[in-house]
Amino acid sequence: MPHWSVYTGNSQPHDGIDRLPAPPPWRAFDGEPVLRPPRDGDDEAAVSPDRVHRARTYVATPESVQLVNAALVLRRPLLVTGPPGTGKSSLAYAVARELRLGPVLRWNITSRSTLADGLYHYDPLSRLYAARQAVWRTGDGDPWAGVPGEGVPGAGMPGAGMPGAGLPGAGAPGAGLSGAETPPGARTSAARASGAGAPGAGMPGAGALGAWTSGPGTPGARMRGTMTPGAGVPGAGAPGAGGVEEHLRLGPLGTALLPYERPRVLLVDEIDKSDLDLPNDLLNVLEEGQYEIPELMRAARHSADAGTAEVLADGTDTPVTVARGRVRCRAFPFVVLTSNGEREFPPAFLRRCVRLELRRPDREQLTEIVRAHLDTPPAEADHLIDRFLARAADGELATDQLLNALYLTGVAGLDAESRDALADELMPYLSATADGDGF
């Protein structure tokens, strides 16, 4: 193996990643604060029997070993193309296991996938619901405060109820006039929620997210600083309502770009099924190794200190620290993008990737694969391998079809003629648009 290689393909776990050469100057990253990589046990999906088996039994080719190492050293994504069943996705699990890089982050691509799906997900409706629930639990004010027409006597009827009912700050002396100040104790729950009595009450933007408060943040808010988390959201200032970060979770791509001290493994599966724009949308994020979360950035602008937030990452319930809404990697992740070759990618995307094309395994490779997966007597395996190769010469087959045939004919205890007939039934030809990725 060349001295710059850290991945060997022998499936024996080791800490060779610590010997990875320094990145090229144009691919060096310095994200902070530095995070320790998670262990496999931190993600239940990562220790599922199927993923563990695929990682342990993967049979790597010399070409795949060399190009995996090239992608690791150059800090570039690895674009893996090939027919279904050639082990494209399994390669990511094998690398993560051997180099002890923790659970694989998996992003399954569909025609509706967008860049935002991979980076993070923010749920404003759950935040609104939590705020209302917090107000109901504490009894501190009207849960519908700040909603036009709610909680105000005669709301919506001109002149009904309180003078100026339905207007911001209704009921306060001088309500509706810019700069009107409410005397201490004169505010109603509706006035408090809508910003009445505050400087500029009734002006556009008053009470919106990012509005200043006169004191420290709401008790229980996890966003540090002097801004009320959820300003502009009815009841969001109540204890227990939580801030923006309570309703935000990083996606697999967003998690992979956190400043871990070791690279994470990100599997972007079947990118050729994506919308035409997704490969181009990925260019800047993968080139810069960073991204921004606007919801946290808006809150951080009005924070008195660093504006840090604790958010949940993909595959774990342990929060990570995000400073001022910006995420930048430290160790660039090992990104595996798989494609069945159903479409072409733009040149700007291709030139930023290390490209690996997996071909159908030959007889020697198939024998190794069968030996790794099954304890099948050589005589039976050889016969079905030959039959598989003969059929594959006339149409497209996947390696896992051979494994299924070997396993089922073995446990069924059939004679040779019946075994061959059953094997043929289990190895039908695949269509050009067959889904899935075998071993």
Side-chain angles (χ1 to χ4, degrees):
M1 295 290 292
H3 70 278
W4 51 271
S5 299
V6 295
Y7 173 63
T8 65
N10 63 15
S11 76
Q12 295 301 317
H14 58 82
D15 292 313
I17 194 68
D18 295 332
R19 302 191 305 272
L20 187 69
W26 56 89
R27 298 296 293 165
F29 304 97
D30 58 356
E32 291 186 345
V34 181
L35 302 176
R36 294 184 62 84
R39 298 168 298 180
D40 284 338
D42 295 337
D43 184 356
E44 292 183 1
V47 293
S48 62
D50 63 316
R51 292 192 178 185
V52 173
H53 180 81
R54 294 171 72 179
R56 181 175 54 83
T57 58
Y58 184 77
V59 178
T61 65
E63 181 186 14
S64 63
V65 171
Q66 184 172 11
L67 291 178
V68 164
N69 282 295
L72 286 167
V73 173
L74 295 174
R75 275 65 170 184
R76 290 290 187 185
L78 180 68
L79 176 60
V80 186
T81 59
T86 50
K88 298 183 295 295
S89 60
S90 297
L91 175 61
Y93 295 102
V95 173
R97 179 178 185 272
E98 180 180 325
L99 298 182
R100 293 176 175 165
L101 299 181
V104 173
L105 299 161
R106 181 163 185 153
W107 184 15
N108 295 312
I109 301 298
T110 70
S111 60
R112 297 180 300 276
S113 297
T114 65
L115 177 62
D117 296 332
L119 291 176
Y120 70 94
H121 175 70
Y122 171 59
D123 188 353
L125 293 180
S126 72
R127 185 181 176 208
L128 178 61
Y129 178 77
R132 297 261 176 83
Q133 290 294 104
V135 172
W136 279 113
R137 286 195 301 270
T138 61
D140 182 18
D142 183 354
W144 295 100
V147 178
E150 296 291 344
V152 180
M157 298 298 292
M162 300 168 60
L167 295 177
L177 298 179
S178 177
E181 184 71 30
T182 302
R187 297 183 188 179
T188 64
S189 62
R192 286 199 304 270
S194 61
M203 299 297 292
L209 181 62
W212 287 97
T213 63
S214 59
T218 303
R222 296 172 67 179
M223 177 66 68
R224 302 166 194 165
T226 57
M227 178 225 158
T228 304
V233 177
V244 172
E245 66 275 22
E246 296 286 353
H247 307 279
L248 186 149
R249 191 180 192 114
L250 301 183
L253 174 59
T255 300
L257 292 173
L258 287 168
Y260 289 107
E261 62 180 3
R262 281 187 171 188
R264 295 294 304 271
V265 176
L266 170 65
L267 173 60
V268 184
D269 205 22
E270 298 190 327
I271 191 172
D272 52 336
K273 290 186 175 179
S274 71
D275 180 84
L276 292 175
D277 293 330
L278 182 59
N280 285 325
D281 293 342
L282 285 169
L283 289 180
N284 187 62
V285 172
L286 294 179
E287 188 69 17
E288 300 295 330
Q290 63 184 2
Y291 65 97
E292 297 176 344
I293 303 176
E295 291 84 356
L296 295 181
M297 292 182 68
R298 283 196 294 268
R301 280 201 300 268
H302 301 288
S303 176
D305 56 13
T308 57
E310 300 293 317
V311 301
L312 294 179
D314 185 69
T316 179
D317 291 328
T318 302
V320 295
T321 301
V322 174
R324 307 196 70 81
R326 294 181 175 89
V327 176
R328 180 174 173 83
C329 72
R330 189 172 190 87
F332 188 78
F334 177 61
V335 182
V336 177
L337 307 117
T338 71
S339 169
N340 290 329
E342 296 178 1
R343 59 174 282 193
E344 295 184 354
F345 297 103
F349 176 78
L350 293 176
R351 75 175 181 85
R352 289 173 169 85
C353 298
V354 175
R355 298 163 67 181
L356 168 64
E357 183 177 356
L358 295 181
R359 299 173 179 83
R360 291 290 179 194
D362 57 23
R363 195 184 197 292
E364 181 180 353
Q365 291 173 318
L366 282 174
T367 301
E368 290 186 35
I369 292 171
V370 170
R371 186 182 299 116
H373 286 279
L374 300 170
D375 185 19
T376 304
E380 295 181 15
D382 289 345
H383 175 72
L384 283 182
I385 289 174
D386 289 338
R387 196 170 188 85
F388 174 83
L389 290 172
R391 289 177 59 80
D394 298 324
E396 188 177 25
L397 295 175
T399 308
D400 58 343
Q401 291 176 288
L402 171 62
L403 296 175
N404 290 336
L406 282 167
Y407 180 78
L408 186 56
T409 56
V411 299
L414 304 175
D415 57 41
E417 183 177 353
S418 300
R419 184 168 60 246
D420 290 346
L422 179 57
D424 289 345
E425 293 292 330
L426 294 172
M427 296 188 295
Y429 294 120
L430 304 176
S431 65
T433 57
D435 293 333
D437 189 12
F439 298 94

